[in-house]
């Protein structure tokens, strides 16, 4: 982004870049958690759940792309190494060690709830001060809210099997 584009940002840009990089770490870890979860999933409703996990993985990757682009526009450097994902993440990584569909859903619901909190906080940080980042975060937050809902609906359906 050009000089003027940065001038209209009315927050501490270094602090904003730091927050965006932390979200970038979250998105990569979420991507991998979903992607791997879809590979290992076992149990009732596997096909439906797997489809949703694959779709969410793609959306987390899209979020990573949006965030990296914005960091570069702001004159920052996106995290360059996977080692930094673990160091910077807000929401961590929950390995899909238990491949049961219900366990995977529960892990990923937790992840989405963490993401919702992170983006809510980020929106408050840039509100009225950086319209472009605000707009981007609003879009991402909308997706995370949808993710949580999709997974909770699947978990609910799963819990009703045989009832
Ligand atoms: Fe995301
Ligand atoms: Fe998500
Ligand atoms: Mg979905």
């Amino acid at each position: 982004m050009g000089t003027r584009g940065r001038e209209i940002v009315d927050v501490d840009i270094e602090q904003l870049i730091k927050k965006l990089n932390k979200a970038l770490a979250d998105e990569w870890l979420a991507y991998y958690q979903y992607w791997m979860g879809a590979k290992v999933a076992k149990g009732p409703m596997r096909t439906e759940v797997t489809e949703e996990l694959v779709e969410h993985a793609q959306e987390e990757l899209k979020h990573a792309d949006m965030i990296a682009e914005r960091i570069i526009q702001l004159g920052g450097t996106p995290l360059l190494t996977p080692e930094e994902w673990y160091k910077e993440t807000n929401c961590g990584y929950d390995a899909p060690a238990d491949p049961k569909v219900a366990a995977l859903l529960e892990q990923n619901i937790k992840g989405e709830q963490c993401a919702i909190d992170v983006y809510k906080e980020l929106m408050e940080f840039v509100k009225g001060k950086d319209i472009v980042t605000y707009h981007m975060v609003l879009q991402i937050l909308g997706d995370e809210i949808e993710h949580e809902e999709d997974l909770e609906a699947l978990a609910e359906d799963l819990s009703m099997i045989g009832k």
Side-chain angles (χ1 to χ4, degrees), residues 6-155:
R6 270 195 299 271
E7 277 170 9
I8 63 164
V9 175
D10 192 25
V11 292
D12 181 325
I13 290 199
E14 287 317 307
Q15 212 185 335
L16 175 58
I17 290 168
K18 174 86 178 161
K19 285 176 187 291
L20 290 172
N21 260 321
K22 292 177 84 64
L24 179 64
D26 290 334
E27 292 295 351
W28 272 103
L29 293 171
Y31 165 74
Y32 194 75
Q33 190 176 314
Y34 272 124
W35 182 84
M36 189 53 79
K39 300 281 177 215
V40 300
K42 276 194 173 71
M45 291 177 59
R46 180 209 300 220
T47 310
E48 262 174 284
V49 170
T50 296
E51 264 175 38
E52 199 69 48
L53 299 185
V54 167
E55 192 185 287
H56 288 193
Q58 289 315 312
E59 286 165 358
E60 308 307 4
L61 195 55
K62 187 193 77 191
H63 298 161
D65 188 81
M66 292 161 74
I67 294 168
E69 295 282 352
R70 184 62 183 148
I71 290 169
I72 290 167
Q73 281 187 349
L74 290 165
T77 307
L79 300 180
L80 296 176
T81 66
E83 285 84 353
E84 291 168 289
W85 298 344
Y86 253 95
K87 236 177 61 200
E88 298 298 331
T89 178
N90 301 292
C91 298
Y93 178 74
D94 242 350
D98 180 351
K100 283 196 289 297
V101 162
L104 295 175
L105 288 173
E106 197 189 313
Q107 278 181 329
N108 288 308
I109 288 167
K110 238 175 53 202
E112 293 299 342
Q113 289 171 344
C114 180
I116 289 168
D117 291 342
V118 166
Y119 290 116
K120 166 92 173 21
E121 198 270 327
L122 195 48
M123 278 187 79
E124 277 158 14
F125 184 72
V126 293
K127 192 172 183 182
K129 294 172 181 158
D130 175 0
I131 312 153
V132 175
T133 301
Y134 185 86
H135 181 76
M136 177 191 80
V137 176
L138 181 61
Q139 267 182 284
I140 297 176
L141 180 63
D143 287 347
E144 309 305 10
I145 288 169
E146 192 185 305
H147 290 171
E148 183 201 33
E149 224 245 308
D150 291 346
L151 299 179
E152 284 182 346
L154 285 167

